[in-house]
Amino acid sequence: MKKILLSLILITGITGTGLKAQSVSNAVSSNYSEAVVEKVYTLLKKTKTNMPQARQLQFAAHFKKQDSLVALFIKNNQTEKQLDSLRKVLDTEFSQKLNANERFNYYTGKNTSNSSVSKIPFSQLSYVIKLKDSLQLSEGVKETLLQKLDQLKAEKDSFYAKNKGKSYDARPFESETLSHLLNDDQYVKFLNIKNAKKALNYANNDWNELVQRNLSTPFNKEETVIKLTEFYLARQNTYDRYAHDKLVQNDAIKLLYENRPAALNTLLHARRNPDNDTIGNAFQW
């Protein structure tokens, strides 16, 4: 009776919260256990897709094999480490069955577990995928980005396993990857979206510092904040874009500072001049 009720709920789309669910095929609900049917239902819900019956059956078979192997390992008193290794193998196999959109939606959805979220580490790569429509990414680029995310996670895991207490810098990997996968317009648009708020915050902080140092009189606030925002946006974009090429990065940053806004030049001089330090250490460069 419980299985029949579960099947009716999944097929008709009725849930306890009143939300319409994805449709689990009759072939799955009729031929697999309640646990497997529920896992297929969860898969459809997380991937936000109307998956055809053939693929649903493929995943149902995977879930059945997964449950059988885990149960067998437990029955044979395998160690927790051996169970973890098995689960990682099965999870990798499952992930590879998903296409680019399915994988990203599954591992970054609202109801994902902590272990699932760790499959898609926060990075510029995952941010680009979130902006896939705005950036007009092709399916091929999305798929490659997800593969690179898998590679990034593996590299981070390996680094932390060998370097306890140290921090992993993903920026060179990210910038090299995005430089190859995005065209110039896409990369610039992404960086502008990513860094605009930070640049504006820096600009407003600089203006406030000019006011507190009594140095704002020669400048128009609106024009100054715009120029400072443009400078900081260009600076952060340059750091991000050329993180994998320090020579190019350093030359570009040097050129930016040689052409910095007059207001910033005034601030830098004041910060380095003890006689003009009217606010102590409130602002640090």
Side-chain angles (χ1 to χ4, degrees), residues 100-109 120 126 129-130 146:
N101 286 332
E102 290 169 347
R103 192 180 310 138
F104 188 75
N105 287 336
Y106 185 86
Y107 289 123
T108 59
I120 303 290
S126 57
I129 297 174
K130 284 182 179 291
L146 282 161

Side-chain angles (χ1 to χ4, degrees), residues 82-101:
Q82 289 171 316
L83 272 171
D84 285 341
S85 296
L86 172 65
R87 289 191 178 103
K88 286 179 182 178
V89 170
L90 292 169
D91 196 48
T92 298
E93 181 182 315
F94 164 76
S95 180
Q96 291 173 346
K97 293 180 186 296
L98 300 169
N99 64 35
N101 286 332

Side-chain angles (χ1 to χ4, degrees), residues 2-276:
K2 182 180 178 183
K3 183 174 181 180
I4 294 173
L5 180 60
L6 176 62
S7 299
L8 287 172
I9 289 173
L10 299 179
I11 292 169
T12 59
I14 301 170
T15 66
T17 59
L19 299 174
K20 186 174 181 179
Q22 298 288 344
S23 178
V24 176
S25 76
N26 286 325
V28 171
S29 58
S30 300
N31 294 288
Y32 287 91
S33 68
E34 295 171 21
V36 169
V37 172
E38 187 172 0
K39 286 179 181 178
V40 172
Y41 168 71
T42 300
L43 169 65
L44 296 175
K45 185 178 179 181
K46 285 185 177 181
T47 56
K48 305 173 186 176
T49 182
N50 289 313
M51 193 177 289
Q53 177 174 286
R55 293 198 68 222
Q56 289 190 34
L57 287 168
Q58 180 186 24
F59 282 105
H62 170 82
F63 293 136
K64 180 180 178 180
K65 181 181 78 170
Q66 171 185 285
D67 292 348
S68 297
L69 287 174
V70 170
L72 182 62
F73 266 52
I74 294 173
K75 181 179 179 180
N76 292 333
N77 296 317
Q78 300 292 329
T79 66
E80 193 64 34
K81 185 175 181 180
Q82 289 171 316
L83 272 171
D84 285 341
S85 296
L86 172 65
R87 289 191 178 103
K88 286 179 182 178
V89 170
L90 292 169
D91 196 48
T92 298
E93 181 182 315
F94 164 76
S95 180
Q96 291 173 346
K97 293 180 186 296
L98 300 169
N99 64 35
N101 286 332
E102 290 169 347
R103 192 180 310 138
F104 188 75
N105 287 336
Y106 185 86
Y107 289 123
T108 59
K110 292 182 179 179
N111 298 316
T112 52
S113 65
N114 290 335
S115 60
S116 293
V117 171
S118 68
K119 296 291 181 184
I120 303 290
F122 177 78
S123 75
Q124 292 183 56
L125 306 188
S126 57
Y127 197 175
V128 167
I129 297 174
K130 284 182 179 291
L131 296 172
K132 60 184 183 296
D133 294 332
S134 177
L135 299 177
Q136 297 182 322
L137 300 185
S138 68
E139 287 298 324
V141 168
K142 285 186 284 186
E143 182 63 42
T144 302
L145 282 168
L146 282 161
Q147 292 170 359
K148 290 294 184 179
L149 275 169
D150 290 340
Q151 182 181 341
L152 174 59
K153 183 177 186 303
E155 291 190 10
K156 289 178 72 173
D157 289 346
S158 176
F159 176 87
Y160 286 122
K162 299 174 183 176
N163 301 276
K164 302 295 184 183
K166 294 185 178 180
S167 297
Y168 177 82
D169 186 1
R171 289 172 297 181
F173 180 92
E174 293 167 338
S175 64
E176 185 169 20
T177 297
L178 294 177
S179 293
H180 284 95
L181 291 178
L182 303 183
N183 62 40
D184 189 67
D185 289 342
Q186 288 173 322
Y187 206 170
V188 170
K189 184 175 183 178
F190 163 67
L191 291 173
N192 285 342
I193 293 172
K194 172 182 176 293
N195 295 321
K197 185 176 180 180
K198 180 185 291 186
L200 180 59
N201 287 339
Y202 282 146
N204 282 324
N205 287 341
D206 279 2
W207 176 258
N208 291 336
E209 185 178 354
L210 283 167
V211 172
Q212 288 181 282
R213 288 184 183 272
N214 297 315
L215 297 173
S216 63
T217 303
F219 305 105
N220 174 273
K221 178 180 180 180
E222 184 176 351
E223 291 178 359
T224 301
V225 170
I226 289 174
K227 289 179 180 179
L228 287 170
T229 300
E230 290 173 345
F231 170 82
Y232 285 120
L233 182 60
R235 187 184 72 169
Q236 191 58 50
N237 287 1
T238 300
Y239 277 129
D240 288 343
R241 186 164 189 172
Y242 301 110
H244 65 291
D245 191 334
K246 295 300 183 183
L247 290 177
V248 172
Q249 185 190 72
N250 290 338
D251 288 344
I253 293 296
K254 181 180 178 182
L255 184 61
L256 274 174
Y257 272 95
E258 288 174 353
N259 296 278
R260 60 184 175 261
L264 179 57
N265 198 47
T266 297
L267 270 183
L268 292 177
H269 178 75
R271 288 166 179 162
R272 293 165 182 163
N273 181 0
D275 295 333
N276 213 353

